[in-house]
């Protein structure tokens, strides 16, 4: 049975890899698309940030400060934080609203306290950026004034800290116990635990949909399925062969999509000057093996569902109509599991499909349990066997020939 | 030898209405004979052939293929049958040769046997100039020849072809009919369905006229013509079509 299934799988793979469009959309596009997309986003964001930083801004000031040197101090601080021209003859709100590089500052004093209002157009990026810089300048002025006041009272501001907090990070390793590196690794692991299972779920299912429908309902429509059925190969072998083919293709497309995604994210971060994010996973060989098993199971179940529905449907259109709502439900499941952490109650691991996501998260964040893993393995393996059985049943029934008499 | 004994088959259509596609059909085809099922579209020809080929189960009756009940031992029967149906279409990116190898493997033939059969079928069906091309680059006649070769890769004793010349031009059609004559000469048991009278008259030793699922005639062409005092099968065919209220749209 397995030999025949492998022959069918091999034929399907040869067939698909001869199709230039499929090679482009399945292999080349995922690896190229994300890096290009994220690279362009990174470049645009970087150019935008640079344009904001380089732009010449005008601060319209309306001052009620009585001492001229107080306003000079404020203006000095503003000059320190950016490229600002000063117009000290009142504020025209219309000018600020229409000019993206204009910002207003009303400043006065209430006793010893400077009271400032920053006026800007929150719809415009540059105006918002300029307002943020003005706030930064005013906070710098505040810090200087506080320091000067403390020093005048004989207090060193540096000595005002009565609590010192240090971090010690466990669960991830860092060179020479570098806490910042460990923190960054931990953040990256959290990100992986949230994103990777979700994206795998989406890519594996979405990647299998088109190919799965084509190899079942598509073959029915083209009339090529009946050629298989009149041969000596068992229906179970046909079902298994098609599921195995789809499983391999869905794993391939999802891995390539993930590789593209990671390269894309890395490119974007590089352009934004955040490339120090550690792109490493805290997994040992067993961790990778367990992760591999979960990916295989996820792909097998997705393929099983799609092949079953595809063979049940009478046409490609009908199959798409059945599978799309299931895909939407899976998307919702995926989103709902994205933020949840591992270590769920035991019964969560008895829910097929979703338990794979929880197990993947457990593997990433180190809360893996053998009992939970075995439960997940047994439940999903049983489901795969059930889908192979049901698909073989459909292949054995007359429904597979979609006999409809009008 | 194929014995079709009183088979009936009904379907339920989308409007939940029961349609009797085949009603108590019986006939027999011996080794070295060609049996033709002649009837209009929707008469029950394809359903009958699918029942013989084990793709459908009859509601009643039985089909005996070389002494085996095809419902009780479908796998053994499939090994003896080469089946080609009109809705079978080879497609995809494999070459004709790769298709033949694939189906040879599925029929558990050795690599040597696959090569031998491929060589033989390519020669007999005149496929040498396109056997290494993918089906999407072939004409409908070439595709039909490839489908025939696929269905016969395992050298079956029983050949069941549903509308084998359907959609073919005159040259491709002649290759197919000549091929069937050669198969007959090799003592194969051949059952074909067609709605083309000339094909039936040229090829068939026995003819079954089927209308509305019923086999109204089952004899040699000579006997059928004698019985109806007709010059051509076409006359008999239209006489039945009129009497049974079968109206064919133009």
């Amino acid at each position: 049975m397995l030999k025949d299934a492998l022959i069918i799988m091999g034929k399907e793979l040869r067939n698909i890899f001869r199709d230039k469009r499929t090679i482009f959309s399945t292999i080349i596009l995922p690896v190229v698309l994300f890096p290009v997309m994220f690279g362009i986003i990174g470049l645009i964001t970087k150019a935008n940030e640079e344009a904001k930083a380089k732009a010449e801004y005008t601060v319209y000031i309306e001052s009620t400060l009585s001492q001229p040197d107080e306003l000079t101090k404020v203006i000095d601080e503003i000059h320190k934080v950016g490229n600002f021209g000063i117009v000290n003859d009142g504020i025209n709100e219309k000018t600020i609203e229409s000019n993206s590089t204009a910002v207003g500052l009303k400043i006065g004093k209430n006793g010893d306290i400077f009271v400032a209002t920053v006026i800007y157009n929150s719809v415009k990026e540059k105006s918002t950026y300029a307002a943020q810089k003005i706030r930064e300048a005013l906070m710098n002025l505040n810090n200087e004034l506080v320091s000067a006041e403390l020093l005048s009272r004989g207090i060193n501001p540096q000595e005002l800290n009565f609590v010192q907090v240090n971090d010690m990070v466990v669960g991830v390793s860092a060179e020479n116990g570098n806490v910042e590196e460990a923190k960054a690794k931990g953040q990256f692991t959290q990100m992986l635990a949230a994103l990777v299972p979700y994206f795998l779920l989406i890519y594996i299912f979405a990647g299998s949909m088109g190919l799965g429908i084509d190899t079942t309902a598509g073959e029915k429509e083209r009339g090529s399925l009946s050629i298989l059925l009149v041969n000596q190969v068992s229906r179970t072998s046909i079902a298994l062969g098609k599921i195995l083919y789809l499983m391999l293709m869905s794993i391939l497309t999802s891995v390539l999509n993930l590789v593209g995604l990671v390269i894309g994210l890395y490119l974007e971060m590089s352009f934004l000057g955040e490339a120090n994010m550690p792109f490493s996973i805290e997994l040992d060989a067993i961790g990778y093996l367990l992760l591999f098993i979960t990916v295989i199971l996820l792909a097998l179940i997705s393929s099983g569902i799609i092949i079953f529905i595809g063979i049940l449907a009478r046409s490609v259109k009908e199959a798409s109509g059945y599978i799309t709502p299931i895909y939407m439900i899976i998307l919702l499941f995926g989103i709902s599991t994205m933020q949840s952490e591992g270590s769920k109650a035991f019964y969560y691991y008895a829910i097929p499909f979703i338990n794979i996501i929880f197990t993947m998260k457990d593997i990433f964040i180190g809360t893996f349990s053998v009992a939970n893993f075995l439960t997940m393995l047994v439940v999903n393996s049983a489901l795969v066997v059930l889908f192979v059985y049901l698909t073989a049943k459909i292949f054995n029934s007359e429904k597979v020939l979609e006999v409809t008499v009008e | 030898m194929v014995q079709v004994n009183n088979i009936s088959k009904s379907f339920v259509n989308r409007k939940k209405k029961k349609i009797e596609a085949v009603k108590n059909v019986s006939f027999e085809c011996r080794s070295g004979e060609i049996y033709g099922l002649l009837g209009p579209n929707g008469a029950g020809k394809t359903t009958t052939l699918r029942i013989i080929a084990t793709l459908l189960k009859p509601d009643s009756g039985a089909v005996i293929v070389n002494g085996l009940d095809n419902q009780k031992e479908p796998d053994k029967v499939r090994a003896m049958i080469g089946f080609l149906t009109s809705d079978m279409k080879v497609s995809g990116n494999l070459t004709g040769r790769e298709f033949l190898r694939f189906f040879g493997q599925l029929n558990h033939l050795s690599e040597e046997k696959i090569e031998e059969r491929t060589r033989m079928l390519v020669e007999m069906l005149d496929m040498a100039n396109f056997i290494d091309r993918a089906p999407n680059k072939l004409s409908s006649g070439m595709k039909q020849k490839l489908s025939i070769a696929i269905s016969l890769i395992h050298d079956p004793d029983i050949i069941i072809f549903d509308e084998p010349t359907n959609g073919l031009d005159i040259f491709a059609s002649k290759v197919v009919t000549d091929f069937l004559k050669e198969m007959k000469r090799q003592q194969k048991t051949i059952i074909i369905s067609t709605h083309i009278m000339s094909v039936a008259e040229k090829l068939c030793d026995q003819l079954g006229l089927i209308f509305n699922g019923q086999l109204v005639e089952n004899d040699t062409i000579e006997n059928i013509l004698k019985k109806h005092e007709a010059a051509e099968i076409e006359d008999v065919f239209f006489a039945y079509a009129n009497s049974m209220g079968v109206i064919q749209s133009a």
Side-chain angles (χ1 to χ4, degrees), chain B residues 12-24:
Chain B
V12 177
N13 72 5
R14 284 185 176 181
K15 292 167 188 164
K16 305 287 177 200
K17 194 180 161 194
K18 191 179 174 185
I19 306 287
E20 286 187 274
V22 175
K23 300 172 200 166
N24 302 313

Side-chain angles (χ1 to χ4, degrees), chain A residues 3-4 7-9 11 14-19 220-235 314 318 396-398 401 403-406, chain B residues 9 11-14 19 50 53-57 75 78-79 81 83 85 87-95 98-99 101-103 105-108 150 154:
Chain A
K3 192 183 166 196
D4 286 342
I7 290 171
I8 290 168
M9 183 193 79
K11 177 247 173 186
R14 269 200 305 279
N15 184 47
I16 208 77
F17 283 113
R18 293 267 173 86
D19 184 19
K220 270 189 191 183
E221 274 192 1
R222 293 191 294 272
S224 49
L225 191 65
S226 25
I227 305 179
L228 263 185
L229 297 175
V230 291
N231 276 279
Q232 293 174 57
V233 61
S234 76
R235 310 302 209 242
R314 292 165 196 233
E318 195 177 304
N396 270 317
S397 78
E398 292 174 3
L401 293 172
V403 178
T404 47
V405 182
E406 296 298 335
Chain B
K9 179 73 182 174
F11 301 111
V12 177
N13 72 5
R14 284 185 176 181
I19 306 287
R50 281 180 168 180
T54 75
L55 286 173
L56 296 176
K57 288 180 181 159
D75 292 339
R78 267 184 217 130
I81 285 180
F83 182 64
T85 176
D87 63 0
M88 277 184 185
K89 291 178 194 79
V90 278
S91 63
N93 303 304
L94 299 189
T95 65
E98 286 169 328
F99 267 110
R101 183 163 178 267
F102 170 64
F103 284 101
Q105 286 174 328
L106 287 187
N107 281 295
H108 308 129
I150 286 170
H154 56 303

Side-chain angles (χ1 to χ4, degrees), chain B residues 107-124:
Chain B
N107 281 295
H108 308 129
L109 303 184
S110 66
E111 289 297 322
E112 293 77 30
K113 185 74 183 169
I114 292 171
E115 278 200 23
E116 183 199 321
R117 286 291 299 162
T118 301
R119 213 169 25 244
M120 197 179 289
L121 289 163
V122 165
E123 195 183 314
M124 285 173 80

Side-chain angles (χ1 to χ4, degrees), chain A residues 1-121:
Chain A
M1 185 179 78
L2 188 63
K3 192 183 166 196
D4 286 342
L6 291 175
I7 290 171
I8 290 168
M9 183 193 79
K11 177 247 173 186
E12 297 286 358
L13 288 173
R14 269 200 305 279
N15 184 47
I16 208 77
F17 283 113
R18 293 267 173 86
D19 184 19
K20 285 175 189 164
R21 277 175 301 182
T22 308
I23 291 174
F24 178 75
S25 63
T26 312
I27 295 170
I28 299 171
L29 198 62
V31 180
V32 173
L33 184 69
F34 284 120
V36 169
M37 198 170 76
F38 284 106
I40 289 171
I41 291 172
L43 279 174
I44 291 171
T45 312
K46 188 187 175 190
N48 205 17
E49 290 301 317
E50 281 175 357
K52 278 193 287 188
K54 282 181 186 170
E56 286 183 16
Y57 296 93
T58 307
V59 189
Y60 294 89
I61 296 178
E62 189 178 295
S63 170
T64 54
L65 295 169
S66 51
Q67 302 293 322
D69 65 319
E70 288 175 335
L71 183 61
T72 307
K73 273 184 191 171
V74 171
I75 290 170
D76 284 348
E77 288 299 334
I78 290 172
H79 282 311
K80 281 181 197 168
V81 294
N83 194 8
F84 286 93
I86 308 293
V87 178
N88 187 14
D89 61 356
I91 297 169
N92 182 344
E93 282 183 25
K94 289 264 185 239
T95 307
I96 292 167
E97 198 179 324
S98 60
N99 185 353
S100 63
T101 55
V103 65
L105 175 64
K106 278 186 187 174
I107 191 154
K109 249 185 156 179
N110 184 4
D112 288 337
I113 299 170
F114 282 91
V115 178
T117 304
V118 182
I119 302 157
Y120 66 104
N121 186 344

Side-chain angles (χ1 to χ4, degrees), chain A residues 124-344:
Chain A
K124 296 190 171 170
E125 259 189 77
K126 282 182 180 164
S127 183
T128 307
Y129 174 82
Q132 183 197 326
K133 286 290 175 189
I134 299 294
R135 270 187 233 109
E136 192 183 318
L138 293 171
M139 287 316 295
N140 290 344
L141 176 65
N142 179 61
N143 291 341
E144 273 180 33
L145 293 173
V146 168
S147 293
E149 182 65 25
L150 288 170
L151 286 170
S152 71
R153 294 183 191 189
I155 302 166
N156 182 354
Q158 302 298 320
E159 292 170 358
L160 277 178
N161 294 324
F162 296 103
V163 178
Q164 188 182 344
V165 181
N166 296 319
D167 286 339
M168 193 179 95
V169 178
V170 295
V172 285
S173 59
E175 230 173 278
N176 303 323
N178 185 322
V179 172
E180 290 310 312
E181 189 189 328
K183 274 186 190 174
K185 272 190 175 179
Q187 276 179 347
F188 184 66
T189 304
Q190 277 179 34
M191 191 177 82
L192 282 183
L195 291 181
V196 172
Y198 173 71
F199 278 112
L200 272 174
L201 179 72
I202 303 305
Y203 289 143
I204 282 179
F205 203 86
S208 328
M209 272 168 64
L211 296 175
I213 291 173
D214 184 71
T215 194
T216 49
E219 283 218 25
K220 270 189 191 183
E221 274 192 1
R222 293 191 294 272
S224 49
L225 191 65
S226 25
I227 305 179
L228 263 185
L229 297 175
V230 291
N231 276 279
Q232 293 174 57
V233 61
S234 76
R235 310 302 209 242
T236 311
S237 300
I238 299 174
L240 194 59
K242 286 186 179 286
I243 288 173
L244 286 175
Y245 147 71
L246 201 55
M247 179 202 78
L248 281 182
M249 287 306 294
S250 62
I251 289 174
L252 179 70
T253 50
S254 56
V255 166
L256 290 173
N257 270 291
L258 272 181
V259 167
L261 186 68
V262 171
I263 295 172
L265 283 171
Y266 184 77
L267 271 179
E268 189 186 1
M269 286 177 172
S270 298
F271 287 131
L272 297 177
E274 293 172 28
N276 56 347
M277 178 69 99
F279 276 81
S280 62
I281 308 171
E282 285 285 312
L283 282 182
D284 55 12
I286 293 173
Y288 279 110
L289 177 69
L290 296 173
L291 200 60
F292 180 68
I293 292 170
T294 56
V295 170
I296 295 273
L297 273 176
L298 192 59
L300 268 173
I301 291 182
S302 301
S303 307
I305 292 172
I306 290 166
I307 292 286
F308 174 67
I309 291 171
I311 211 68
L312 203 60
R314 292 165 196 233
S315 63
V316 168
K317 195 177 165 189
E318 195 177 304
S320 304
Y322 291 151
I323 290 174
T324 305
I326 295 174
Y327 180 54
M328 301 306 286
I329 293 167
I330 284 169
L331 272 179
L332 282 175
F333 272 136
I335 291 167
S336 68
T337 58
M338 247 175 118
Q339 293 306 320
S340 66
E341 291 202 344
S343 300
K344 297 277 172 193

